[in-house]
Amino acid sequence: MIRRRETQQISVGPLVIGGDAPISVQSMTNTPTKDVEATLGQIERLQEAGCDLVRLAVPDQEAAKSFGLIRKRSPLPLAADIHFDYRLALAALDQGADKIRINPGNIGSKQRLRAVLKEAAARGVPIRIGVNGGSLEKGLLRKHGGVTATALVESALAHLDYCREAGFTDTVVSIKYSRVPMMIEANRLLAGKTDRPLHLGVTEAGSVKSGLIPSAVGIGTLLAEGIGDTIRVSLTGDPVEEVKAARRILQSLGLRREGITVISCPTCARTHTDLVHIVEEVEKALEGVLRSGVVAIMGCEVNGPGEAREADIGIACGPRQALLFRQGRGEGKVPFDRIVEVILREVERLPPTALQAGEEPHE
Ligand code: SF4
């Protein structure tokens, strides 16, 4: 059982982050924000995949106006991603942003940051202080001899202090970096020094294929230690893949109720049927299903019945057909060519709370 670090809570529109709120999944659109219809289409796909909060880049005033149009029709709360120009943060707030993400290191003078904080406070909008290894302040780079975990934490704490001194405490903070050991070390250090909610991510992780592992290791290690309140898996590709990956990380740690965890054997010479394709078909059909539970699909009678019994729905293949288990009870035989159909039918019957947040999933 994972014991989560105690943090303050913030509200991003209807979404609560931190404290005992479920760990939320974020992603970022990669359509031009100026293209309102394409961006809304992507937001809808992200919602279907189980995303809780979507970030949109606001690189100029035209994008800020489009942000407002998108916000009016978005089914999910929206964060505005702002760099360099504090006026874009003000414009995004004016256009209804639910959250602002800034890197105070590149937003300009303290007065400009103060203007953003004042406007966000007036509207009850939280701000994410995003510190990134790639844009650490020059003074800190000189002082620490380059990007180090201590330098990243020093930067984040200085920005949080500045916000607090300005009377603004509605913050969430992130330290992201592409090197996983340093990202982990910096977040561990930061978690011991602030009670603000933490947003986790590994930047520049790579493509959908290669980026999953660094993100899973970096984010998963911290989550397993109880650190992290909201996550984004950054991948070069369709952001829907980020959401699927984030949900899998949370499911594998038993930190999220919704979603079906599919466990399957690696197959070997004993495998009785084409398990690879069966598992692929089941996983594809279950993408975005927000019912919760564990489905086990096993290739033979060696470990099959044991694992299948432990799952909410289990299939253990035998020489000529498979055995179906439901909540540990044998439910009869299933021809190989009906395994997918039977699993999907059984998933429809699962109660929505079969796997509780924080509970260990079946191994
Ligand atoms: Fe092989 Fe059976 Fe184990 Fe699957 S469950 S890997 S088929 S021994």
Side-chain angles (χ1 to χ4, degrees), residues 265-268 270-271 298-300 302-303:
C265 79
T267 70
C268 72
R270 291 193 183 88
T271 310
M298 306 294 291
C300 82
V302 175
N303 294 320

Side-chain angles (χ1 to χ4, degrees), residues 180-291:
V180 173
M182 196 183 293
M183 172 269 185
I184 292 172
E185 189 189 347
N187 278 285
R188 278 182 183 145
L189 275 174
L190 183 65
K193 290 181 184 294
T194 177
D195 65 355
R196 301 313 307 165
L198 297 193
H199 169 109
L200 303 182
V202 174
T203 48
E204 290 90 46
S207 67
V208 171
K209 203 167 171 192
S210 65
L212 288 177
I213 290 176
S215 285
V217 171
I219 296 171
T221 299
L222 289 162
L223 289 177
E225 295 172 13
I227 298 169
D229 304 282
T230 177
I231 65 173
R232 178 192 177 198
V233 174
S234 299
L235 298 172
T236 309
D238 185 347
V240 167
E241 296 300 325
E242 299 188 346
V243 174
K244 288 182 194 167
R247 295 192 71 91
R248 266 185 238 126
I249 293 170
L250 294 176
Q251 279 171 14
S252 67
L253 290 165
L255 286 167
R256 207 53 209 237
R257 293 171 188 222
E258 308 92 347
I260 304 292
T261 301
V262 176
I263 57 175
S264 57
C265 79
T267 70
C268 72
R270 291 193 183 88
T271 310
H272 290 301
T273 186
D274 184 1
L275 210 71
V276 176
H277 286 107
I278 289 174
V279 171
E280 277 174 6
E281 263 192 73
V282 168
E283 284 189 344
K284 195 161 178 10
L286 293 179
E287 272 174 9
V289 170
L290 297 184
R291 217 166 267 278

Side-chain angles (χ1 to χ4, degrees), residues 279-330:
V279 171
E280 277 174 6
E281 263 192 73
V282 168
E283 284 189 344
K284 195 161 178 10
L286 293 179
E287 272 174 9
V289 170
L290 297 184
R291 217 166 267 278
S292 62
V294 177
V295 171
I297 310 173
M298 306 294 291
C300 82
E301 54 278 69
V302 175
N303 294 320
E307 288 284 357
R309 240 183 238 114
E310 289 298 307
D312 296 298
I313 298 161
I315 285 285
C317 293
R320 279 173 294 282
Q321 45 198 345
L323 285 178
L324 168 69
F325 292 87
R326 186 181 172 83
Q327 312 291 1
R329 281 195 319 275

Side-chain angles (χ1 to χ4, degrees), residues 52-81:
D52 298 304
L53 172 62
V54 183
R55 182 157 45 114
L56 276 61
V58 180
D60 53 37
Q61 289 291 347
E62 196 189 337
K65 283 205 184 76
S66 301
F67 184 97
L69 297 174
I70 296 164
R71 178 67 202 89
K72 285 195 182 86
R73 293 164 57 196
S74 171
L76 291 173
L78 300 184
D81 189 73

